[in-house]
């Protein structure tokens, strides 16, 4: 793959990541109390609480993830520093792991798409970093 083709794929990846802002806004609405926490959401937060042996309230849990996703999407488009793209990568892979364990029930089919979003974001971090470094040296 040529570098210009990699940049085109990076641009496509950025467009594919934008829809992750929709669940992020939903999570922030849950966190702020505008929407209630449903059973599926409770199962996700309790999955991570049980894994780490802590009791994080669902509102804080989803608020943290929602803010991270929105910050990550903004960083994808260079509105924020590139390292903040991890705000998309981390929830995507953690979500993939959660869904792999069928939490909430019936969500196993979303494991691959979640991990694909995380992989695309990592790809943009590598390609865009090289692009910006190349521009600085010329």
């Amino acid at each position: 793959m040529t570098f210009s083709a990699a940049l085109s794929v990076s641009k496509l990846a950025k467009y594919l990541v934008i829809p992750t802002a929709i669940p992020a806004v939903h999570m922030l609405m849950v966190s702020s109390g505008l929407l209630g926490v449903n059973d599926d959401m409770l199962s996700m937060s309790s999955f991570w609480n049980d894994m780490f042996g802590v009791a994080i309230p669902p509102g804080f849990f989803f608020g943290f993830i929602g803010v991270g996703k929105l910050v990550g999407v903004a960083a994808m488009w260079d509105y924020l520093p590139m390292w903040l793209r991890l705000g998309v990568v981390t929830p995507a892979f953690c979500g993939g792991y959660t869904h792999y364990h069928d939490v909430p029930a019936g969500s196993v089919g979303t494991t691959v798409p979640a991990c694909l979003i995380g992989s695309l974001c990592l790809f943009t971090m590598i390609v865009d970093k090289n692009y910006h470094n190349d521009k600085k040296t010329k």
Side-chain angles (χ1 to χ4, degrees), residues 59-105:
F60 179 78
F61 178 83
F62 288 107
F64 182 76
I65 295 170
V67 167
K69 284 183 168 203
L70 289 177
V71 164
V73 170
M76 289 289 289
W77 291 95
D78 298 325
Y79 292 111
L80 295 170
M82 187 180 299
W83 68 270
L84 289 173
R85 293 181 188 185
L86 293 173
V88 173
V89 174
T90 306
F93 286 125
C94 290
Y97 182 75
T98 304
H99 299 318
Y100 174 77
H101 288 282
D102 203 24
V103 177

Side-chain angles (χ1 to χ4, degrees), residues 77-135:
W77 291 95
D78 298 325
Y79 292 111
L80 295 170
M82 187 180 299
W83 68 270
L84 289 173
R85 293 181 188 185
L86 293 173
V88 173
V89 174
T90 306
F93 286 125
C94 290
Y97 182 75
T98 304
H99 299 318
Y100 174 77
H101 288 282
D102 203 24
V103 177
S107 67
V108 172
T110 60
T111 300
V112 172
C115 292
L116 179 63
I117 291 294
S119 300
L120 287 172
C121 189
L122 283 175
F123 175 79
T124 68
M125 291 177 78
I126 295 165
V127 170
D128 291 354
K129 183 174 181 1
N130 289 334
Y131 173 71
H132 291 298
N133 287 343
D134 191 41
K135 279 178 49 176

Side-chain angles (χ1 to χ4, degrees), residues 17-37:
V17 170
I18 289 174
T20 64
I22 296 167
V25 170
H26 179 256
M27 290 175 185
L28 289 175
M29 290 175 79
V30 167
S31 175
S32 66
L34 294 172
L35 293 175
V37 179

